[in-house]
Amino acid sequence: KWTAKEVISWIDRNDDIDDEVVQRFRENVLKGAELLALGKEGLADLGIKRKGTIYLIINEIKKLEAKHESPVTFIEHSPYCFGKIVDYLRLKSAFCNGLISVDPPRPTVRQSEKQRFRRIVDYYFPGDSSKFIFG
């Protein structure tokens, strides 16, 4: 289930969508289920006038539905979590290349970020590859 913030992030990532359309999504505080329920009329009701933009958004929504039979998992950008991952990978690389003599410890993540960190690692390191980060 996507929050309104996640829906805005999704629509904002599409370079073909004008900023004013992104602003319409912000103003209307749409959540994930509402996004999936939108059609031509719904988008027009939001104030989106250009037919090309309406069909572009509908096409992107259809891609989401086709890509994910189960509920969509949104992977948000978290500078904190990505920083932890990148720092660990840099240290691990330095160790493997003999630049440092101590194998780095696994990332330590603050309690409030553990769930997000797990989702991000599982997304970018699927299956057994996440063991590289988690051990």
Side-chain angles (χ1 to χ4, degrees):
K1 294 183 180 184
W2 283 11
T3 66
K5 184 177 176 183
E6 292 167 330
V7 169
I8 292 166
S9 180
W10 170 81
I11 195 80
D12 196 29
R13 281 194 314 263
N14 189 320
D15 293 334
D16 295 325
I17 304 292
D18 293 336
D19 289 340
E20 81 177 49
V21 172
V22 175
Q23 185 58 34
R24 297 282 183 186
F25 275 74
R26 270 193 191 91
E27 291 166 359
N28 286 280
V29 194
L30 295 171
K31 294 181 182 165
E34 295 163 330
L35 172 70
L36 296 176
L38 284 177
K40 289 184 289 187
E41 298 81 17
L43 290 166
D45 288 345
L46 291 177
I48 301 167
K49 306 281 188 240
R50 295 187 63 228
K51 290 189 186 294
T53 301
I54 289 172
Y55 287 106
L56 176 64
I57 294 170
I58 289 171
N59 188 46
E60 291 301 314
I61 292 170
K62 286 179 183 176
K63 285 181 189 177
L64 276 178
E65 291 172 329
K67 189 176 179 180
H68 302 282
E69 295 296 334
S70 61
V72 175
T73 301
F74 180 80
I75 301 298
E76 68 273 21
H77 174 74
S78 167
Y80 174 81
C81 293
F82 280 100
K84 289 289 188 177
I85 294 167
V86 169
D87 287 346
Y88 176 71
L89 293 175
R90 282 184 191 143
L91 290 171
K92 192 68 170 173
S93 176
F95 173 73
C96 290
N97 288 304
L99 299 174
I100 60 175
S101 59
V102 178
D103 195 7
R106 305 283 183 218
T108 303
V109 180
R110 62 181 175 230
Q111 187 63 36
S112 62
E113 295 290 329
K114 283 189 179 196
Q115 188 176 19
R116 176 179 291 144
F117 185 77
R118 169 58 87 174
R119 279 194 316 263
I120 290 171
V121 169
D122 285 344
Y123 181 82
Y124 287 104
F125 298 86
D128 286 342
S129 63
S130 66
K131 291 179 182 175
F132 183 74
I133 302 290
F134 294 124

